């Protein structure tokens, strides 16, 4: 390929579609005519095969060594490809249309899928091979080992199982590597550190000498394997260069070869090398060594120095940089995992929820906005992708120009950049015990996941926690009405409640009860991960691991920024409590016993009562009556959660990034007193009002949100929907002022769905005309046509804020 | 805000809507306070619920859940049920508002609430942070807000005292003595003008234009003024009328002219109030005629925009 022309850009755009998008649906609802994955997508068994071969060969060695050897075997043997347009290279599966899943974590649900609904993802030969591989892993996966650990302890198994209240999440450990370090000293620099440490312990012989030695050796093996992997790309590129007749492409391929011979082994010298080093590191760390979510690089901060230098030395043009950044984004777009059907509901298909972060302050508190902040936004204007999403950190010194550029991108409807407010989040991190320099350097790895570059925040999102379901248990004394079993906490008989405070207490007791169970499940499981599935490669890129001679899974950053339970449905709890307060206690229009009875039969025959509960004040209208209750729900739920500790002694917190769990979990929550019907979706973000309940306009939404105290609670997710016309022309200035007010009000997050209802309705009826229509679902974007009808309807129903 | 039907205290005003995040009624992000009651009867009015100077009911049939509470409650038997659902016999209805209070589904709503200046001020102040960032403020609109001139004068004054920018959206059909008093506390006037031919003006709005034009001149001399022309096809979009309006606007020296294209959206409100819509035949003006009107106005050296 030559320097990209407009048609080639379009080419890149076309490459996006097939790979990254899968059908996203609500719960188990099956939809005729739509496969779970887009046509053409296939499962790739290559990583699975190589991993299994290595594990068979290393039987009897330590888990640390086995992990390192497995990574080595994969990287040295996996198929590599370089497509004719690529200037940045790196693949994680054998072909661009492939997905895989981590068999070492779990084989059952995917196995079931590939033998049933997802049969077309694999041919019969592949299926036979899979069965053979599964035979080896049966009893050895994280899932199996967890089960063994749980054996003999019925409560652990019982509360681990998803019943509607807690969805334990197996594979989302995160953390953001120290990209700046990789870029400045290269993997060779890190190998030298590991070898130095090895020398040191050979002298000092610490009590855990053998553990440390194994770890440091494993680090070196993984890093060297990664360097070798990159070298294989160089070889491939040279080979291709030889046969390519196009002189320009030949030159490009030779350049690729030179770059891959140099990075990630050595210190980066150019923007091209920096981007390539980043992609290599990210793919190995998050997709090959262990399959997880997130990204979180502070993109403009890390990349701009090289861009500036290249420009100054005449090595690059803005156009070329734009093309390289686009290709980098495309590589992230292509990463996708297979989830179990349950997790598919939560994450929305195969999204790996990667965020790139721009803007904000550096560790000294200075604004970091630079050329690269604008350049990456420009690249989105030219090429829309679902992944990675971009998070823009906002503070008082954020230039207006950057806001304006961000508005242009939001206007396209792509769903990002989302805005993160330094004013809310830095104080929150300080309160959680982060040192100031680290707090200022926070990043967002995906959705609204708070992370700090380089710090050991594994940040296991232990659980999606349905708070409305806790309220539901509180109105039933923790007894399952279907079975009569005492499943939740035995709270007092609700008909004896005399004030809303009694309801709140019972709700909080249910939260405490279920949290206790979650923490037990989580801590036992984490020890399984730490013992059997260390991550030497990720550890090497995480501050402190080499110094301590310890894998990142066995210790944690002291800032207490890890171990989260994701809050699902807090708005519905607040709206419900407000409705109960008003009509049961204040106005005594409906006795508690009657209300519970009618909710139990999903309001049937009593639509009038439902309408009454719906008419109670709802969050999102700047009405203190309910907003104050909402604040209490958030803060007091967090207070309960904070009392628990993980196995490293870190406190648990709530987290606002519910992704599409707001749809998934709501399916299993019966009717609630806010007027919501059985199975109806919750509000679509931890701070979002219920769809169509925010009837007082977008300023009132922000005012309501501002009454929830981030500092006493946690980070949030707020979705707002606007008509495109509102972000154009003269209105752009007003929209900017609206965002400024959002920042001044100290609300932690906001993101926008910008599309009009007519377009969505048309896309529902004529999907063929709207293949590229992107919408913001929750913490991520998706192609509208790939969403199930139920989810489409939900998005259409979200209140549309627009012209007054 | 509490609603007490007909009961009205001296210091209260009748308001039918307070709209936050208004961005078409003056600069920046604003809150628009809609006063109920109008001295004009424009055929094309898109807020027919603003006209009567007392509270009334509005029926939203699609929200009705058929519970029958309204029928049981109506003292004059104006509500009945047929296969089409709940029906209101508007000829019988005395606007006692009882049905609106008992309806659980907001399928019959009471339009118009008596409120104090404090009540309104509290609502308006809720969005202060947005006014500060955007250069917005409060706009009082109607109906014809000047019918309640003492109330709005007080409201404007108290807003100004708090540093909130004030705008009045008016037809100007009121005695100068009252307008003058109100203007003391107004930063910007959005002044509606429909027709330069008084006969046509009376035909469309029920009143002649003499007082309105005279007042416009005085208002513009005193306060920053934007002229607003609702453009109604086949009524006031003739070349002559636009030219005359432009001439007038330039003579009295307004800051800018907004053309507000007629839209049919208000039409659906009429049956909900038990009224007939008299504009069924009219469609929204086309882009060309809007553009032409804009050019005509600009040719007089005026700033013009097509609003909404
Ligand atoms: S407002 Fe009219 S319809 Fe309603 S109860 Fe009174 S008289 Fe009957
Ligand atoms: S009270 Fe309201 S919901 Fe019930 S029948 Fe009357 S209009 Fe319909």
């Amino acid at each position: 390929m030559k320097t990209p022309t407009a048609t080639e850009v379009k080419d890149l755009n076309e490459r996006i579609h097939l790979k990254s998008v899968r059908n996203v649906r609500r719960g188990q609802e099956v939809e005729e005519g739509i496969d779970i994955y887009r046509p053409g997508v296939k499962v790739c068994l290559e990583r699975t095969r190589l991993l299994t071969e290595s594990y068979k060969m290393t039987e009897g060695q330590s888990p640390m060594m086995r992990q390192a050897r497995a990574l080595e075997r994969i990287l040295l043997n996996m198929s590599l490809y370089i497509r004719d347009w690529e200037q940045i290279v790196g693949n994680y599966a054998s072909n661009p249309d492939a997905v895989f899943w981590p068999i070492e974590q779990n084989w059952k649900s995917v196995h079931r899928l590939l033998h049933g609904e997802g049969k077309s993802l694999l041919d019969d030969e592949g299926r036979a091979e899979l069965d053979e591989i599964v035979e080896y892993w049966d009893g050895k996966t994280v899932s199996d080992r967890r089960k063994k650990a749980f054996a003999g302890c019925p409560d652990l198994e019982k509360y681990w199982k998803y019943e509607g209240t807690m969805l334990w999440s197996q594979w989302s450990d995160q953390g953001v590597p120290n990209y700046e370090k990789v870029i400045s000293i290269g993997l060779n620099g890190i190998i030298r550190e590991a070898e130095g440490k090895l020398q040191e312990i050979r002298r000092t012989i610490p009590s855990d000498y053998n553990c440390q030695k194994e770890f440091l050796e494993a680090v070196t093996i993984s890093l060297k394997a990664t360097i070798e992997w990159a070298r294989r790309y160089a070889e491939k590129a040279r080979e291709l260069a030889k046969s390519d007749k196009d002189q320009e492409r030949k030159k490009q391929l030779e350049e690729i070869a030179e770059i891959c011979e140099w990075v990630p082994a050595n210190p980066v010298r150019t923007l091209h090398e920096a981007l390539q080093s980043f992609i290599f590191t990210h793919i190995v760390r998050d997709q090959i060594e262990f399959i997880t979510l997130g990204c979180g690089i502070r993109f403009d901060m890390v990349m701009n120095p090289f861009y500036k230098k290249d420009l100054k030395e005449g090595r690059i043009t803005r156009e070329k940089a734009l093309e390289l950044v686009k290709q980098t984004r495309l590589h992230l777009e292509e990463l996708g995992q297979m989830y179990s059907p349950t997790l598919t509901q939560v994450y929305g298909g195969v999204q790996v929820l990667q965020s790139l972060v721009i803007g904000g302050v550096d560790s000294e508190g200075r604004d970091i906005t630079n050329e690269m902040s604008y350049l990456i936004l420009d690249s989105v204007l030219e090429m829309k992708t679902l992944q990675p999403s971009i998070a823009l950190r906002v503070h008082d010194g954020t230039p207006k120009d950057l806001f304006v550029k961000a508005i242009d991108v939001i206007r396209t409807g792509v769903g990002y950049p989302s805005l993160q407010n330094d004013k809310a989040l830095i104080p929150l991190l300080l309160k959680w015990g982060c040192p100031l320099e680290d707090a200022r350097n926070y990043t967002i790895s995906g959705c609204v996941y708070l992370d700090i570059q380089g710090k050991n925040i594994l940040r296991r999102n232990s659980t999606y926690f349905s708070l409305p379901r806790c309220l539901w248990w509180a109105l039933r004394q923790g007894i399952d009405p279907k079975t009569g079993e005492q499943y939740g906490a035995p709270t007092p008989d609700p008909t004896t409640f005399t004030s809303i405070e009694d309801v709140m207490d019972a709700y909080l007791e249910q939260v405490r009860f279920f949290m206790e169970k979650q923490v037990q499940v989580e801590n036992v499981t984490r020890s399984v991960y730490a013992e059997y599935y260390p991550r030497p490669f990720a550890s090497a890129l995480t501050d402190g691991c080499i110094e301590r001679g310890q894998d990142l899974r066995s210790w944690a950053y002291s800032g207490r920024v890890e171990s989260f339970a994701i809050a699902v449905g807090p708005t519905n709890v607040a709206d419900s409590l407000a409705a109960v307060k008003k009509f049961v206690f204040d106005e005594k229009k409906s006795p508690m016993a009657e209300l519970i009875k009618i909710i139990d039969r999903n309001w049937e025959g009593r639509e009038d009562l439902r309408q009454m509960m719906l008419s109670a004040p709802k969050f999102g209208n700047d009405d203190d009556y309910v907003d104050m209750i909402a604040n209490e729900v958030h803060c007091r739920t967090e207070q309960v959660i904070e009392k628990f500790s993980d196995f490293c002694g870190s406190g648990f917190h709530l987290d606002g990034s519910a992704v599409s769990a707001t749809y998934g979990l709501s399916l299993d929550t019966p009717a609630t007193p806010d007027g919501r019907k059985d199975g109806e979706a919750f509000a679509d973000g931890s701070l979002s009002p219920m769809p169509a309940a925010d009837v007082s306009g977008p300023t009132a939404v922000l005012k309501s949100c501002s009454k929830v105290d981030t500092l006493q609670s946690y980070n949030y997710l707020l979705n707002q929907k606007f008509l495109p016309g509102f972000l154009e022309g003269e209105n752009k200035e007003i929209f900017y002022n609206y965002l400024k007010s959002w920042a001044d009000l100290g609300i932690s997050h906001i993101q926008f769905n910008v599309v009009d209802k007519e377009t969505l309705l048309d896309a529902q009826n004529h999907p063929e005309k709207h293949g590229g229509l992107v919408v913001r679902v929750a913490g991520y974007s998706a192609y509208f046509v790939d969403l199930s009808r139920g989810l489409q309807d939900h998005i259409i129903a979200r209140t549309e804020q627009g012209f007054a | 805000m509490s609603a007490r039907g007909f009961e009205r205290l001296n210091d209260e005003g009748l308001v039918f809507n307070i709209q936050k995040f208004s961005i078409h009624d003056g600069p920046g992000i604003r809150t628009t306070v809609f006063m109920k009651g109008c001295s004009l009867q424009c055929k094309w009015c898109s807020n027919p619920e603003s006209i009567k100077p007392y509270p009334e009911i509005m029926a939203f049939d699609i929200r009705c859940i058929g519970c029958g509470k309204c029928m049981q409650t109506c003292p004059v038997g104006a509500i009945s049920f047929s296969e089409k659902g709940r029906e209101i016999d508007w000829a019988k209805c005395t606007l006692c508002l009882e049905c609106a209070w008992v309806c659980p589904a907001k399928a019959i709503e009471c339009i118009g609430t008596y409120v104090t200046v404090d009540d309104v001020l509290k609502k308006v102040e809720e969005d202060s942070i947005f006014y500060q960032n955007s250069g917005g403020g409060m706009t009082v609109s109607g109906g014809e807000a000047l019918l309640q001139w003492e109330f709005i004068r007080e409201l404007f004054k108290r807003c100004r005292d708090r540093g909130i920018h004030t705008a009045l959206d008016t037809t100007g059909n009121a005695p100068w003595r009252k307008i003058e008093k109100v203007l003391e506390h107004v930063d910007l006037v959005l002044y509606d003008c429909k027709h330069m031919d008084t006969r046509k003006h009376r035909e469309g709005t029920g009143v002649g234009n003499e007082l309105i034009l005279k007042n416009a001149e005085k208002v513009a001399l005193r306060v920053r003024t934007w002229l607003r022309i609702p453009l109604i096809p086949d009524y006031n979009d003739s070349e002559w009328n636009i030219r005359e309006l432009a001439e007038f606007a330039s003579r009295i020296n307004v800051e800018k002219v907004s053309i507000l294209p007629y839209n049919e959206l208000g039409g659906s409100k009429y049956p909900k109030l038990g009224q007939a819509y008299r504009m069924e035949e009219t469609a929204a003006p086309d882009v060309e005629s809007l553009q032409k009107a804009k050019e005509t106005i600009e040719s007089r050296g005026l700033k013009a925009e097509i609003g909404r």
Side-chain angles (χ1 to χ4, degrees), chain A residues 699 703 726 737 741 744 803, chain B residues 21 23-24 69 126-127 133:
Chain A
T699 55
K703 285 295 302 296
F726 190 69
N737 293 319
S741 308
D744 289 348
F803 295 95
Chain B
F21 196 61
I23 57 169
H24 299 286
K69 289 196 170 128
E126 285 172 354
D127 274 7
N133 275 322

Side-chain angles (χ1 to χ4, degrees), chain A residues 494 496-506 577 580-581 584-586 588 592:
Chain A
T496 66
F497 292 165
T498 56
S499 72
I500 197 66
E501 199 46 40
D502 291 342
V503 188
M504 178 71 99
D505 286 344
L577 290 176
V580 170
K581 177 168 152 54
V584 177
F585 298 116
D586 290 1
K588 303 205 169 11
M592 186 67 103

Side-chain angles (χ1 to χ4, degrees), chain A residues 210-224:
Chain A
N210 199 39
C211 276
Q212 288 204 36
K213 178 176 140 294
E214 290 260 321
F215 168 70
L216 294 165
E217 282 169 6
V219 162
T220 306
I221 293 169
S222 337
L223 296 178
K224 284 191 170 154

Side-chain angles (χ1 to χ4, degrees), chain A residues 6-211:
Chain A
T7 44
E8 278 153 355
V9 170
K10 198 167 145 267
D11 234 351
L12 280 190
N13 272 312
E14 272 157 17
R15 284 171 199 280
I16 303 166
H17 278 231
L18 185 72
K19 182 61 208 291
S20 60
V21 182
R22 317 288 131 80
N23 174 29
V24 182
R25 51 186 161 171
R26 258 195 95 195
Q28 313 292 341
E29 80 189 35
V30 176
E31 230 160 296
E32 294 297 316
I34 303 185
D35 271 333
I36 33 172
Y37 293 92
R38 279 216 174 170
V41 173
K42 295 279 178 227
V43 163
C44 163
L45 285 179
E46 196 171 76
R47 176 186 180 274
T48 314
R49 182 185 308 128
L50 292 166
L51 177 88
T52 309
E53 283 169 14
S54 173
Y55 259 78
K56 283 182 179 163
M57 284 154 63
T58 54
E59 215 60 82
Q61 298 185 26
S62 69
M64 183 67 77
M65 206 39 80
R66 298 185 79 183
Q67 284 285 92
R69 290 294 177 207
L71 180 65
E72 183 184 38
R73 185 164 183 87
I74 298 168
L75 293 178
L76 265 44
N77 295 287
M78 66 182 274
S79 338
L80 310 182
Y81 56 79
I82 298 174
R83 285 162 288 182
D84 60 6
W85 50 269
E86 281 181 305
Q87 295 178 60
I88 305 269
V89 300
N91 56 289
Y92 77 125
S94 58
N95 69 76
D97 293 328
V99 284
F100 60 82
W101 84 105
I103 194 162
E104 71 275 34
Q105 298 194 43
N106 177 345
W107 58 267
K108 279 211 175 85
S109 56
V110 176
H111 188 250
R112 209 179 316 127
L113 190 77
L114 294 175
H115 274 275
E117 203 187 346
K119 221 169 165 158
S120 63
L121 292 168
L122 202 59
D123 56 21
D124 287 339
E125 203 182 316
R127 222 179 327 277
E129 186 184 357
L130 174 69
D131 290 348
E132 209 178 294
I133 291 174
V134 158
E135 226 169 275
Y136 173 78
W137 283 101
D138 191 0
K140 299 191 185 74
T141 62
V142 178
S143 200
D144 295 312
R145 293 194 199 273
R146 177 193 52 71
K147 255 194 216 143
K148 265 184 237 160
F150 285 180
C153 194
D155 255 19
L156 282 175
E157 194 63 45
K158 175 168 153 193
Y159 289 102
W160 172 81
K161 214 169 152 186
Y162 175 61
E163 156 279 342
T165 312
M166 309 177 284
L167 176 64
W168 187 81
S169 148
Q170 173 149 255
W171 30 26
S172 64
D173 70 18
Q174 280 154 332
V176 179
N178 189 340
Y179 283 114
E180 280 166 318
K181 184 172 174 183
V182 178
I183 278 173
S184 65
I185 67 173
L187 297 188
N188 278 336
I190 300 176
I191 292 173
R192 277 194 299 277
E193 279 183 6
E195 284 170 351
K197 178 72 187 175
L198 200 56
Q199 298 297 334
E200 180 197 315
I201 63 166
R202 282 191 182 127
R203 284 194 310 272
T204 56
I205 317 188
S207 59
D208 59 345
Y209 172 79
N210 199 39
C211 276

Side-chain angles (χ1 to χ4, degrees), chain B:
Chain B
M1 264 182 263
S2 67
R4 286 189 304 277
F6 284 125
E7 212 182 304
R8 175 176 194 164
L9 303 177
N10 275 339
D11 60 345
E12 289 188 331
L14 183 61
V15 168
F16 76 93
N17 191 10
I18 296 181
Q19 171 110 55
K20 290 183 174 177
F21 196 61
S22 275
I23 57 169
H24 299 286
D25 295 323
I29 297 176
R30 311 187 69 81
T31 295
T32 302
V33 179
F34 291 91
M35 305 301 296
K36 189 158 156 61
C38 194
S39 49
L40 268 55
Q41 299 265 333
C42 306
K43 280 199 275 192
W44 56 84
C45 181
S46 60
N47 285 331
E49 76 276 32
S50 73
I51 293 171
K52 288 182 183 151
Y54 45 81
E56 62 190 308
I57 58 166
M58 205 162 166
F60 298 87
D61 295 352
I62 47 163
R63 297 184 196 158
C64 176
I65 58 168
C67 70
K69 289 196 170 128
C70 52
M71 186 174 74
Q72 290 152 21
T73 244
C74 178
V76 297
I79 299 182
S80 61
F81 277 81
S82 73
E83 66 273 23
K84 277 188 277 166
R86 188 264 295 112
E87 279 181 79
I88 298 173
D89 184 343
W90 293 96
K92 273 195 195 162
C93 172
T94 62
L95 290 186
C96 76
L97 310 177
E98 284 302 312
C99 53
W101 304 138
V102 298
C103 175
K106 296 190 184 135
I108 301 178
E109 275 194 76
C110 172
I111 305 294
T113 312
Y114 292 108
V115 292
T116 64
V117 168
D118 277 332
D119 291 335
V120 179
L121 211 55
K122 186 167 164 281
K123 270 255 165 276
V124 169
E125 279 193 295
E126 285 172 354
D127 274 7
S128 290
I129 188 164
F130 298 98
Y131 312 150
Q132 281 158 24
N133 275 322
S134 69
M138 177 190 70
T139 299
V140 172
S141 179
E144 176 44 66
L146 288 168
L147 288 180
Q148 305 184 58
W149 68 280
E150 284 162 302
F151 180 87
I152 63 169
R153 186 186 57 173
E154 184 63 16
L155 179 59
F156 280 134
K157 180 173 177 305
R158 305 261 297 275
C159 266
R160 264 240 189 119
D161 289 348
R162 284 162 171 72
I164 297 173
H165 179 270
T166 55
L168 170 67
D169 175 16
T170 180
T171 68
N173 188 37
W176 175 248
R177 168 180 74 79
K178 296 179 182 174
I179 300 179
E180 195 178 21
K181 294 250 167 54
V182 172
L183 287 189
E184 284 167 19
H185 310 288
V186 171
D187 297 318
L188 171 73
V189 175
L190 311 172
Y191 203 103
D192 282 18
C193 259
K194 284 101 184 172
H195 220 293
M196 293 303 284
D197 175 346
T198 190
R199 250 178 335 112
K200 288 290 277 182
H201 197 280
R202 187 179 301 278
E203 182 195 309
T205 71
V207 302
N209 66 9
E210 293 81 0
L211 180 62
I212 291 173
L213 296 180
K214 211 162 81 196
N215 283 338
E217 203 165 338
K218 292 188 193 159
V219 167
L221 265 178
R222 209 167 277 216
V223 184
R224 198 177 154 202
T225 302
W226 295 356
L227 201 71
R228 309 225 279 187
I229 306 170
L231 198 75
I232 321 294
D234 303 330
Y235 169 67
N236 68 353
D237 59 347
S238 71
E239 244 185 271
W240 177 85
N241 189 42
I242 301 294
R243 215 175 46 232
E244 288 295 305
L245 278 167
E247 208 58 69
F248 177 69
S250 115
R251 183 160 56 76
I252 67 169
N253 203 11
V254 299
E255 193 179 298
K256 84 173 173 188
V257 177
S258 311
I259 304 161
L260 310 178
Y262 162 81
N263 70 59
E264 308 99 316
L265 296 176
S268 66
K269 288 182 177 175
Y270 285 78
K272 297 186 173 80
L273 295 159
Q275 297 171 17
Y277 190 41
R278 295 174 290 167
M279 299 283 290
E280 291 299 0
E281 305 293 295
T282 309
D286 51 48
V287 184
E288 251 164 64
S289 61
L290 284 168
Q291 198 52 39
K292 227 179 101 200
K294 182 167 178 256
E295 278 159 20
T296 309
I297 293 161
E298 281 168 343
S299 72
R300 293 295 182 288
L302 286 158
K303 203 173 155 225
E305 63 173 19
I306 297 167
R308 31 164 299 146

Side-chain angles (χ1 to χ4, degrees), chain A residues 581-638:
Chain A
K581 177 168 152 54
K582 185 170 166 76
F583 292 118
V584 177
F585 298 116
D586 290 1
E587 296 180 12
K588 303 205 169 11
K589 288 224 172 110
S590 166
M592 186 67 103
E594 182 198 45
L595 177 66
I596 293 173
K597 213 172 77 202
I598 288 157
I599 290 180
D600 270 347
R601 52 172 217 251
N602 195 20
W603 310 101
E604 222 179 274
R606 287 303 304 276
E607 182 60 20
D608 61 323
L609 187 71
R610 190 176 89 89
Q611 289 295 336
M612 183 175 85
M613 298 311 267
L614 278 174
S615 75
K618 294 279 182 271
F619 183 72
N621 294 290
D622 199 4
D623 183 341
D624 282 349
Y625 189 93
V626 53
D627 296 349
M628 292 308 163
I629 293 176
N631 186 37
E632 255 192 71
V633 167
H634 287 286
C635 296
R636 291 178 69 180
T637 308
E638 165 71 12

Side-chain angles (χ1 to χ4, degrees), chain A residues 746-789:
Chain A
I747 300 164
S748 66
H749 166 270
I750 195 166
Q751 67 195 10
F752 299 93
N753 216 341
V754 177
V755 63
D756 54 19
K757 202 170 184 163
E758 285 66 42
T759 310
L760 294 178
L761 287 172
D762 194 54
Q764 216 171 23
N765 297 324
H766 306 283
E768 68 285 355
K769 287 197 294 189
H770 297 272
L773 177 64
V774 168
V775 291
R776 191 79 178 171
V777 179
Y780 64 94
S781 302
Y783 288 106
F784 187 75
V785 297
D786 280 327
L787 303 176
S788 70
R789 186 90 188 182

